[in-house]
Amino acid sequence: MTVHRVAMLAFPGVRPFDVSVITEVWGVDRTDRGVPPFELRRAAADPGTPIPLRGGLALTPDRPLAWLDEADLVIVPGLTDPDVDIAAPVLDALRRAHHAGTPVAALCAGAFALARAGLLDGRRAVTHWYVADRLRERHPAVTVEPNALFIEDGGLWTSAGTAAGVDLCLHLVRTAHGAETAATIARAMVTAPFRTGTQAQFIEHPTPRADRDADALAAVRAHALAHLGQPHTVASLAARAGMSPRTFARHFRATTGTTPLRWLTAQRVAAAQKLLERTDHPLPEVARRAGFGSEVTMRQHFAAHLATSPRDYRAAFRQTAGSSPTAR
């Protein structure tokens, strides 16, 4: 998937936060930092007429709905109210884009727009946990996943609430242009290039952990990231945090929404992606530096996490980039 032209659907009821997220990721010129040029357009049924947003803001569309035909990606911002009226031409435009093979993404309750267009029937989708039951009740043909941060099914992307929209946008950048580009944008936004875990960690609100435990866990994660090539176990990480393995694993999951080893594997996959994109190191060396130990193990984790192989990932990235990176 190559993404340069992005169409953001603009209609009454979209959330200002999601509009801002989409604009921050796709609408800021960062070509001086190696990010490809993007063209973000605000497509609406009545271009040029400002659309009032919550909080006294306004969004001015600059393209008609027909511009979706020219876009590489269509994004629907979240909705302030899942039951907000959506004009028939907007739903028709979504259907045309999807049937033309254009990837379509919806942030937060924007999933309701895709569902009303009939695009999610028989597919898996996710939305903010607070309205997940409502999506399930309103659209029983949709398989609503309760915990995922974002999901893709048949070229249709949906994300959980609020911050998960950032996760999805950065993931779409990473898929189209590589981990380094996504990381550059994430650094500019002062956010993580990707998060592990599920939105289940946010549904319940447990008593906050002591500052000492939180600091210890953050220090352990920082150490692991700085030494990915070294072997790590739950016991060794727990010892660094000054906790028993059982207590460490419990606190780690409460903080991140995933287990220590799953988190570590995700970081190693990301490190391997960057090495495959930016260097000419042989695959065994990439596996060693990322901490997988062997090319076979790295290949297994790439298949599980990215549904591809390290060799195919490198070839696809270089074909998309249009040039071969040099070893560094």
Side-chain angles (χ1 to χ4, degrees):
M1 179 177 74
T2 299
V3 174
H4 291 287
R5 292 169 297 183
V6 180
M8 175 171 59
L9 270 183
F11 54 90
V14 296
R15 293 199 323 161
F17 179 87
D18 299 295
V19 170
S20 298
V21 167
I22 295 166
T23 303
E24 185 66 27
V25 172
W26 303 102
V28 178
D29 184 355
R30 298 188 176 94
T31 52
D32 60 332
R33 281 171 274 179
V35 175
F38 300 127
E39 181 181 3
L40 174 66
R41 297 297 181 179
R42 302 171 294 279
D46 187 11
T49 300
I51 296 172
L53 304 180
R54 186 172 58 188
L57 304 175
L59 175 64
T60 302
D62 59 358
R63 290 293 186 275
L65 292 174
W67 198 79
L68 270 63
D69 297 338
E70 303 180 35
D72 303 314
L73 171 68
V74 174
I75 303 186
V76 183
L79 308 179
T80 56
D81 178 357
D83 296 322
V84 68
D85 288 335
I86 302 176
V90 174
L91 299 178
D92 288 341
L94 281 171
R95 296 185 190 103
R96 285 198 308 272
H98 175 62
H99 293 155
T102 304
V104 178
L107 310 189
C108 197
F112 283 79
L114 301 190
R116 274 191 242 173
L119 300 181
L120 296 182
D121 288 355
R123 301 187 187 278
R124 298 164 60 244
V126 65
T127 188
H128 194 293
W129 60 266
Y130 187 74
V131 294
D133 287 340
R134 200 185 312 185
L135 180 61
R136 190 178 291 110
E137 293 165 4
R138 299 278 199 280
H139 304 279
V142 180
T143 301
V144 181
E145 299 288 349
N147 295 329
L149 291 177
F150 54 82
I151 283 177
E152 185 272 338
D153 193 337
L156 297 164
W157 296 85
T158 51
S159 75
T162 313
V166 179
D167 296 323
L168 175 53
C169 286
L170 291 174
H171 177 77
L172 292 170
V173 171
R174 186 164 54 248
T175 301
H177 300 285
E180 183 63 20
T181 296
T184 298
I185 296 174
R187 283 193 294 270
M189 296 174 65
V190 196
T191 189
F194 63 92
R195 293 186 296 162
T196 55
T198 71
Q199 68 168 327
Q201 60 190 297
F202 305 109
I203 296 175
E204 300 294 338
H205 300 282
T207 302
R209 303 295 177 187
D211 289 343
R212 178 185 59 82
D213 291 344
D215 290 346
L217 291 173
V220 168
R221 291 196 297 271
H223 172 79
L225 286 173
H227 303 87
L228 282 177
Q230 298 179 4
H232 299 289
T233 64
V234 173
S236 67
L237 295 174
R240 180 167 288 275
M243 302 177 186
S244 70
R246 190 170 185 175
T247 298
F248 173 78
R250 185 174 69 250
H251 286 205
F252 194 99
R253 184 164 196 135
T255 301
T256 65
T258 190
T259 68
L261 294 184
R262 285 177 182 168
W263 175 86
L264 187 60
T265 297
Q267 308 308 313
R268 284 175 166 157
V269 168
Q273 286 179 275
K274 182 180 291 188
L275 288 167
L276 291 168
E277 293 169 13
R278 301 181 62 184
T279 77
D280 290 317
H281 295 320
L283 295 185
E285 178 64 10
V286 171
R288 185 190 69 80
R289 293 190 179 210
F292 286 116
S294 73
E295 182 183 346
V296 172
T297 300
M298 180 173 68
R299 189 163 58 245
Q300 291 171 342
H301 286 298
F302 262 64
H305 284 73
L306 304 175
T308 188
S309 70
R311 190 179 305 278
D312 289 344
Y313 179 87
R314 172 177 270 171
F317 176 79
R318 294 188 174 187
Q319 182 177 14
T320 299
S323 62
S324 298
T326 56
R328 305 179 193 185

